[in-house]
């Protein structure tokens, strides 16, 4: 039997779909908690943690499959490919979310940011916000 070499594209696809799915589940959780439009620092940091963690996991998995051998170009291909696949999945989810699941998403985000700005700067007039 011949050994098939695992390519960076295969790893990037698998981990990109994993990252996209994880972010979708996280987005659904935020939607259920009605926090999906608030864009807080804590929720963003958790999302970045998923992003960095799963990309590094994919690169480490590729290295392990190749018996500890990894070129810089392979690591970059794996990381960028993972992010690209994940980005496509998340973009499709965002379109579905903003068009069908919560059509008022954009308006809620704008209104929340206005209220937040008024709380931080009470001297601002409503017209300038």
């Amino acid at each position: 039997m011949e050994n098939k070499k695992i390519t960076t594209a295969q790893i990037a696809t698998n981990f990109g779909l994993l990252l996209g799915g994880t972010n979708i589940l996280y987005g659904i959780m935020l939607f259920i908690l009605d926090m999906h439009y608030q864009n807080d620092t804590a929720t963003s940091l958790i999302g970045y943690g998923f992003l960095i963690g799963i990309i590094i996991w994919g690169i480490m998995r590729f290295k392990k499959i190749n018996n500890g051998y990894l070129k810089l170009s392979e690591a970059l291909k794996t990381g960028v490919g993972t992010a690209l696949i994940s980005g496509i999945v998340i973009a499709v989810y965002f379109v579905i979310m903003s068009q069908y699941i919560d059509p008022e998403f954009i308006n809620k985000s704008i209104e929340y940011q206005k209220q937040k700005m008024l709380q931080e700067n009470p001297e601002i007039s409503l017209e300038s916000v």
Side-chain angles (χ1 to χ4, degrees):
M1 296 194 105
E2 67 182 66
N3 273 338
K4 287 189 175 183
K5 186 174 191 272
I6 302 293
T7 64
T8 57
Q10 291 169 325
I11 295 291
T13 302
N14 290 340
F15 281 89
L17 292 173
L18 176 67
L19 179 58
T22 303
N23 282 326
I24 287 173
L25 289 175
Y26 184 60
I28 290 171
M29 182 193 74
L30 290 176
F31 174 74
I32 290 170
L33 296 172
D34 202 28
M35 295 175 58
H36 61 290
Y37 58 88
Q38 294 178 359
N39 201 15
D40 289 334
T41 304
T43 57
S44 297
L45 288 176
I46 293 170
Y48 292 140
F50 287 142
L51 176 73
I52 293 167
I54 292 177
I55 288 175
I56 289 173
W57 183 23
I59 293 170
M60 290 173 61
R61 179 76 178 140
F62 183 78
K63 182 178 178 182
K64 183 178 179 184
I65 288 172
N66 287 321
N67 299 320
Y69 180 72
L70 178 70
K71 292 183 196 174
L72 178 61
S73 63
E74 292 171 334
L76 289 173
K77 284 183 207 175
T78 303
V80 170
T82 300
L84 180 66
I85 299 294
S86 172
I88 292 169
V89 170
I90 293 168
V92 170
Y93 165 72
F94 180 75
V95 168
I96 292 170
M97 174 72 160
S98 63
Q99 295 296 317
Y100 301 107
I101 297 173
D102 188 11
E104 293 296 314
F105 172 73
I106 302 295
N107 293 333
K108 284 181 184 177
S109 296
I110 292 171
E111 189 59 36
Y112 178 79
Q113 292 302 323
K114 282 182 182 179
Q115 294 302 322
K116 190 174 175 183
M117 190 180 296
L118 285 172
Q119 286 176 353
E120 291 173 359
N121 301 319
E123 66 275 353
I124 292 180
S125 67
L126 279 175
E127 292 80 31
S128 63
V129 177

